[in-house]
């Protein structure tokens, strides 16, 4: 039985009738893109509304629902409501992604997966606009093993999977490497302790960098002040959710919120910094590759990185033709494309020379050409960063 705020207990029959009588509803908490400063989506969060208007938060009934196994019945009967809400939300803005919380139990049988798959296959919903949040703790709870195949079916359909409460589990990194997550949500506890805990700040910064290298998105939850918002933006975090920007809202209030289309600051300074690191990482990988090609057979069993040679596909290229477009029109940004293209040309020639065992002085000349383009790029990125902060 779950204890409510008044200290009394909620029983399973009460929860069952609340669901049957339509007293469970979704509230929607906005998520903000730290790149554009605009609303990018929302998280659907359950609320139990009593006839007198009292709102019972999930902490008071989700544990009971999980313990009793009733949680999957809640997910099953609330899903059509979620899809109906999503369609109304998309009437206002069809670029918004809505995430919802599931637990391991929901993947113990095919029921929930089938429900979601049917909604996608009937074209009721664009799978790219639907995201599942699952905690690491839920995945690791051995008493309710997840059938990987169901989760993978949904990811294959195009839904994204977010690891909720990242940083609270004991093997988050391990879980991340074993399951098909494409989004990390940094736990609000870590975010909340940042101001008094330099280690938390460092963990958050390195999680952001790690997510970037893995090519996955990173959302921070629990942003309660403008300082924390600014810090995360400057650190290169891509999305944020918290009371400072918006609390979980009933559907009508959420629609009013997105119709107003509020703006926060969204200058992606942190992403310029990450673009610099990406470029340095690419250059090092390429040079390692050139050096290692003369030590054929020494690669051992560890798979080595190879530098992406297509200038539109490397991380810096993805940034230039993606998020970086926010800076279009700024001199330093507009000048980036040419040296970046030349850099890749120089890189290709260098690899080619190394592979055919070219003389040492030819390789040295090509290396010089490569580092020259690299310095131009780093100079322009630095100029762009300087302009962005003033
Ligand atoms: P969660 O999925 O980690 O959701 C985020 C929680 O953080 C929400 O609490 C939200 O209101 C709260 N939050 C967001 N920003 C801030 C902030 O700036 N400061 C503070 N102090 N809190 C913030 P909520 O709505 O009470 O939900 C609690 C948990 O209940 C959720 O944590 C999730 O684990 C669970 N839950 C909610 N809805 C569902 C559902 O439909 N199914 C399942 N299985 N679990 C759900
Ligand atoms: Mg969540
Ligand atoms: Mg969370």
């Amino acid at each position: 039985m779950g204890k409510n705020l008044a200290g009394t207990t909620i029983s399973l029959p009460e929860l069952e009738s609340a669901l049957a009588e339509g007293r469970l509803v979704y509230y929607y908490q906005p998520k903000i893109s730290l790149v554009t400063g605009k609303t990018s989506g929302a998280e659907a969060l359950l609320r139990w509304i009593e006839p007198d208007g009292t709102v019972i938060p999930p902490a008071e009934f989700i544990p009971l629902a999980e313990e009793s196994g009733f949680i999957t019945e809640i997910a099953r009967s609330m899903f059509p409501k979620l899809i109906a809400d999503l369609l109304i939300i998309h009437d206002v803005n069809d670029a918004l992604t809505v995430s919802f919380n599931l637990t391991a139990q929901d993947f113990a049988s095919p029921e929930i997966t089938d429900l979601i798959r049917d909604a996608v296959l009937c074209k009721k919903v664009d799978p790219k606009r639907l995201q599942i949040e699952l905690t690491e703790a839920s995945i690791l709870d051995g008493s309710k093993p997840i059938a990987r195949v169901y989760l993978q079916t949904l990811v294959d359909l195009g839904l994204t999977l977010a690891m909720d409460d990242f940083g609270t589990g004991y093997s988050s990194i391990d879980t991340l490497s074993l399951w098909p997550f494409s989004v990390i949500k940094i736990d609000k506890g870590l975010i909340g302790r940042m101001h008094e805990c330099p280690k938390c700040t460092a963990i958050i910064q390195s999680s952001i960098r790690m997510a970037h290298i893995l090519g996955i998105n990173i959302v921070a939850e629990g942003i309660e002040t403008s300082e924390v918002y600014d810090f995360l933006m400057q650190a290169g975090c891509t999305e944020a959710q918290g009371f400072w920007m918006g609390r979980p809202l009933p559907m009508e209030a959420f629609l009013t919120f997105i119709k107003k289309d509020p703006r926060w600051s969204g200058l992606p300074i942190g992403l310029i910094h990450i673009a610099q690191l990406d470029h340095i990482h690419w250059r090092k990988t390429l040079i390692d590759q050139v050096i290692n090609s003369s030590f054929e057979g020494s690669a051992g069993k560890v798979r080595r990185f190879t530098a992406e040679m297509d200038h539109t596909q490397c991380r810096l290229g993805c940034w230039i033709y993606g998020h970086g477009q926010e800076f279009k029109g700024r001199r330093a940004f507009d000048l980036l494309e040419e040296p970046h293209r030349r850099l890749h040309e120089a890189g290709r020639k260098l690899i080619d020379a190394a592979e055919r065992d070219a003389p040492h002085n030819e390789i040295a000349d090509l290396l010089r050409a490569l580092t020259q383009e690299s310095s131009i790029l780093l100079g322009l990125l630095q100029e762009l960063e300087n302009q962005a902060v003033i």
Side-chain angles (χ1 to χ4, degrees), residues 41-42 61 111 124 135 163 204 217 222 226 272 280 286 322 331:
F61 59 91
E111 208 186 349
K124 280 194 197 129
T135 62
M163 185 193 271
I204 291 164
N217 272 333
S226 62
I272 304 178
I280 293 169
L286 185 105
R331 193 195 88 95

Side-chain angles (χ1 to χ4, degrees), residues 29 43 46-47 58 101 103 164-165 188 221-222 224 242-243 248:
Q29 184 177 29
E43 176 173 8
L46 272 179
R47 297 289 182 268
N101 297 277
T103 67
D164 208 349
D165 303 347
K188 57 179 182 296
E221 64 180 15
E224 295 190 348
F243 291 174

